[in-house]
Amino acid sequence: TLSKSSTSCRFLSCFYLGRAEDGNEIREYQQLFRAEYGKEIHEDMLILNYWRDGKLCLRPFLFLLMADSVEVISVSTALSLVFLTYREIGKAKNISETARTFHLRILIAATAQTLTPILLVYIPYFLNVTISLFHLYSPFYSALSMLLLSFFPCIDPILIILLIKPYRQGFMRLLGKRNRKIAVVASAFT
């Protein structure tokens, strides 16, 4: 439910706060897009023009503030939970070493799955949207952030295959390398 409400909140904020303030602004950005990419766009524009005539525009700034807040809260919550879980696994006294190792393996895999979207989606998006507030637009960084975003769907499962032994062994069988061992991370994963 939290994810659905967060998604609904983002959608509504895009719809209400991301609209251009007037038709001239839309036409101006359509011309800029046409000049830079050689393509026409007529609908589905999200314009975040923070500065207009040298003054800060409230609607795009509120959208930025809300979007960045959702990201910062999500990342902070995820990293706090990872840290707290790791600490509690280490402090647990009524747990066998086998169970502790198992829990650490799962925690490392979950951490990798958490860090992948943070590094490949959240941080590039955050910088790409926020950096223009300070008049620091970079076409190179925009292209790099789109490249990182496109890598995310393939890197996420690769990490899981490498970190979880049964998946790694099954993948090696598919490749025809049955008895070969791969040491990936620490002794818990060999």
Side-chain angles (χ1 to χ4, degrees):
T1 357
L2 183 62
S3 177
K4 287 181 184 178
S5 65
S6 173
T7 303
S8 299
C9 184
R10 281 186 242 170
F11 171 76
L12 289 173
S13 67
C14 286
F15 184 74
Y16 290 112
L17 298 174
R19 291 182 296 170
E21 295 190 8
D22 64 24
N24 291 333
E25 188 176 21
I26 292 174
R27 284 187 286 285
E28 180 183 328
Y29 282 103
Q30 286 173 331
Q31 290 171 353
L32 287 170
F33 191 86
R34 187 180 322 112
E36 189 166 336
Y37 299 105
K39 295 181 180 180
E40 295 284 332
I41 54 170
H42 299 287
E43 296 177 8
D44 302 328
M45 292 179 63
L46 178 63
I47 297 175
L48 296 174
N49 184 10
Y50 304 118
W51 300 98
R52 190 175 179 128
D53 301 326
K55 296 180 182 174
L56 183 64
C57 295
L58 188 59
R59 275 193 341 199
F61 182 72
L62 288 175
F63 174 78
L64 172 71
L65 192 62
M66 193 172 86
D68 285 354
S69 297
V70 168
E71 283 191 34
V72 167
I73 290 169
S74 297
V75 169
S76 300
T77 302
L79 294 178
S80 297
L81 290 172
V82 165
F83 173 74
L84 291 172
T85 304
Y86 180 76
R87 189 180 73 187
E88 291 303 315
I89 290 172
K91 284 177 21 181
K93 294 180 182 172
N94 298 333
I95 189 171
S96 71
E97 200 55 41
T98 305
R100 184 184 316 273
T101 302
F102 172 75
H103 287 295
L104 285 173
R105 285 182 192 172
I106 296 299
L107 179 61
I108 289 172
T111 303
Q113 268 197 306
T114 301
L115 288 177
T116 303
I118 289 173
L119 295 174
L120 298 177
V121 178
Y122 282 2
I123 291 174
Y125 173 80
F126 180 83
L127 292 175
N128 214 13
V129 172
T130 306
I131 205 164
S132 60
L133 178 65
F134 304 106
H135 303 291
L136 298 172
Y137 172 73
S138 166
F140 172 75
Y141 183 74
S142 284
L144 178 65
S145 66
M146 290 301 114
L147 184 66
L148 291 173
L149 183 62
S150 67
F151 281 150
F152 168 67
C154 64
I155 290 196
D156 193 43
I158 289 171
L159 278 174
I160 295 307
I161 289 170
L162 290 175
L163 289 175
I164 298 178
K165 188 175 181 179
Y167 293 156
R168 188 173 61 238
Q169 288 173 336
F171 182 71
M172 294 308 285
R173 278 191 217 112
L174 282 173
L175 295 177
K177 301 180 183 201
R178 293 179 186 238
N179 295 328
R180 189 171 171 194
K181 287 189 175 186
I182 300 176
V184 178
V185 179
S187 61
F189 294 103
T190 57

